[in-house]
Amino acid sequence: MMPASLVVWVLSALLLVGVLTQRWWEPRLAERGIPVRRWPWRWWLVGYPACALRIFSSWRRVALLNGLSVSVAPSQRVIGRDLVVQGQALRPRPPRLSWPVPTATGLTLRVLLHPGQTPGPYFAAAHAMEHAWHVHGVRVTSPRRGQVLIHVTALDPLTDNAPAVRPPAQGLLKAHVGRTEDGEPWEIDLRRVPHWLITGATQSGKSSLLAALVLDLAPQPVALVGIDCKGGMELGLFGRRLSALAIDRAQAVSLLLGVVDEIHERMRVCREAGKRSVWELPEEERPVPLVVLVDELAELYLTDGSRQSKDEAEQCGTLLLRVAQIGAALAVHLVVAGQRVGSDIGSRVTALRAQLGGRVAHRSHDEASAEMTLGDINPDAVIAAQNITEDEQGVAVVATGGRWVRARSRLVSLTEAADIARTAPPADPFLTRSAAVTFKEGGIAA
């Protein structure tokens, strides 16, 4: 067997050779698309061994203090003829840990449960593991019976000092908008989750997320229409890339009526072709996907008490709900942003919220706002959203399908926004019109 000292000398020699020949092999790997400079070398060489050592050295005590250890000895013993003493063994056995597998920002551990154990105590012990191992975060999952996975995040990837992640290859209606706390790209896939709700207080990052979404959708053959009742100050930055823009509620009603007419026309095309979805149509006959962006939802529902204002708000609520209910199979998608999504801002808001499967909650001023967005997904996600501070602009809790994760959207520069504004929309995005709707200053309602 090779002595330990020889192993150390061999590894040291290989490391030295790698450093001395870096100028030779690094550009060759870069030509093949391997981003060597983006790899977290410091974490792999220094941080990971130290973190793994802390985990193994403290695992027995962490398991004992948090009720994860069990004893194979009987819990009672007979003393004498008529006396039974009952209690716990002094040295229970902790569960067996696998070798930690390093990731870009942490590591992953697999734990084999003792017979009779459940993952519940491990979920409860996640915070204790964070403090014992001096890491940023610990998340526990149970992918299969008898095992739990402990995902350790040693570095906070939501800070500017975290290693960058190469975006994955994109497809139609997929947008890379930032990164998650796991260090992975944050991708919004409208084919998988057709409608999204984005909430948060002022200056929390809602508009930045919408801009990041538009930035990745702009080069794609996707029609974008916007509703921005704050005079178009946010969505108006995207200029002629928008096929339509409504800057007040009267225009929003007209725009949504046009979108609903478009949905009915696409339904007719699918019905005549004998298809249940536009995605089943041949590609040359498939209509252009349509994404409706709504900034500040409350502006569509709040009224001044007049009859006309109430009728417009009622009509907006009805039309938005119809788009959310029947638009997904027809490649019509809805992305709604606002500070609150409760029934206090208007009727049908709760029904609309139930149709929006993707949820993004930025920093909020009160617990009720986070509860409205994430409460029906996961109660733990509500607590995580409340812990977002004012210094973490752009950080949000993203929840889909019962799973949630912290993430941060990328910041779109003014140069990138100007490039979007000069991009033309796809030709003829509406089946109900003979020509594409073009953007005009001051807004246009389809």
Side-chain angles (χ1 to χ4, degrees):
M1 186 174 182
M2 186 178 296
S5 59
L6 182 58
V7 174
V8 174
W9 277 106
V10 171
L11 294 178
S12 301
L14 292 176
L15 180 61
L16 180 61
V17 171
V19 172
L20 294 177
T21 60
Q22 181 178 2
R23 292 185 178 181
W24 177 82
W25 54 260
E26 184 175 338
R28 285 166 173 77
L29 291 178
E31 291 176 358
R32 299 185 178 183
I34 303 176
V36 180
R37 286 189 176 272
R38 295 182 179 180
W39 290 352
W41 293 105
R42 183 177 179 182
W43 159 247
W44 286 344
L45 296 177
V46 180
Y48 163 69
C51 185
L53 181 61
R54 284 196 301 269
I55 290 175
F56 280 114
S57 62
S58 63
W59 175 242
R60 177 178 291 275
R61 179 169 294 183
V62 169
L64 179 62
L65 294 178
N66 291 276
L68 308 180
S69 300
V70 300
S71 175
V72 295
S75 59
Q76 58 185 15
R77 177 165 296 184
V78 178
I79 300 178
R81 297 180 60 184
D82 302 320
L83 181 62
V84 177
V85 178
Q86 192 169 16
Q88 295 182 347
L90 294 177
R91 296 183 62 85
R93 291 194 328 186
R96 191 173 64 181
L97 278 179
S98 68
W99 184 259
V101 179
T103 62
T105 58
L107 50 87
T108 302
L109 298 157
R110 188 178 300 273
V111 181
L112 299 179
L113 301 182
H114 289 299
Q117 275 192 317
T118 62
Y122 292 84
F123 298 150
H127 290 297
M129 297 177 190
E130 293 176 4
H131 291 281
W133 299 337
H134 307 288
V135 295
H136 172 71
V138 172
R139 192 171 80 253
V140 179
T141 61
S142 181
R144 62 178 60 182
R145 303 294 184 184
Q147 295 182 2
V148 296
L149 280 180
I150 301 177
H151 307 270
V152 178
T153 305
L155 307 176
D156 186 3
L158 305 185
T159 63
D160 295 334
N161 297 325
V165 178
R166 184 185 179 189
Q170 296 180 2
L172 185 63
L173 290 173
K174 292 182 180 180
H176 172 252
V177 297
R179 58 187 174 190
T180 68
E181 66 176 350
D182 299 329
E184 299 297 325
W186 176 13
E187 184 181 80
I188 291 181
D189 186 355
L190 295 176
R191 289 285 304 274
R192 187 171 61 87
V193 183
H195 307 308
W196 285 77
L197 173 64
I198 305 170
T199 64
T202 304
Q203 300 294 322
S204 63
K206 300 188 303 296
S207 297
S208 297
L209 177 54
L210 285 177
L213 178 63
V214 173
L215 178 66
D216 262 27
L217 292 179
Q220 303 180 26
V222 174
L224 303 175
V225 297
I227 299 175
D228 184 359
C229 291
K230 295 185 295 183
M233 291 189 301
E234 298 293 346
L235 297 182
L237 296 176
F238 306 129
R240 60 195 297 262
R241 180 57 182 87
L242 299 180
S243 297
L245 176 66
I247 62 174
D248 57 39
R249 187 161 52 198
Q251 290 185 353
V253 172
S254 179
L255 172 58
L256 290 173
L257 284 171
V259 172
V260 171
D261 289 342
E262 175 69 16
I263 289 176
H264 289 159
E265 180 66 15
R266 296 185 180 198
M267 292 172 63
R268 183 190 64 79
V269 171
C270 290
R271 184 171 60 252
E272 292 179 354
K275 306 296 183 181
R276 295 183 299 176
S277 167
V278 296
W279 302 109
E280 298 178 4
L281 296 171
E283 187 173 356
E284 62 275 6
E285 300 178 10
R286 186 184 307 153
V288 175
L290 176 62
V291 180
V292 182
L293 306 171
V294 181
D295 194 13
E296 204 52 67
L297 178 68
E299 294 294 327
L300 297 178
Y301 288 87
L302 299 179
T303 68
D304 58 7
S306 64
R307 183 64 183 177
Q308 180 182 357
S309 179
K310 291 181 179 179
D311 290 343
E312 287 180 350
E314 182 75 15
Q315 196 170 10
C316 277
T318 301
L319 293 173
L320 281 173
L321 185 57
R322 285 181 60 81
V323 172
Q325 285 178 331
I326 61 179
L330 303 166
V332 178
H333 307 275
L334 189 60
V335 181
V336 176
Q339 296 189 34
R340 291 178 63 83
V341 287
S343 58
D344 54 328
I345 68 172
S347 60
R348 293 187 173 85
V349 175
T350 304
L352 174 64
R353 182 180 63 200
Q355 298 294 327
L356 308 178
R359 308 290 179 85
V360 180
H362 294 83
R363 172 181 53 84
S364 59
H365 293 308
D366 58 335
E367 180 183 356
S369 298
E371 180 70 29
M372 292 173 188
T373 309
L374 304 170
D376 55 343
I377 300 292
N378 194 305
D380 292 337
V382 178
I383 299 175
Q386 291 179 266
N387 292 330
I388 300 175
T389 65
E390 294 183 357
D391 297 330
E392 298 176 300
Q393 188 173 8
V395 175
V397 174
V398 185
T400 55
R403 179 182 180 271
W404 65 271
V405 66
R406 291 175 75 248
R408 184 174 225 153
S409 58
R410 61 168 299 183
L411 183 63
V412 178
S413 65
L414 294 178
T415 303
E416 291 173 324
D419 292 339
I420 296 174
R422 291 190 294 267
T423 305
D428 301 331
F430 295 98
L431 298 178
T432 54
R433 296 178 178 271
S434 58
V437 182
T438 57
F439 176 84
K440 296 181 180 178
E441 291 295 334
I444 181 172

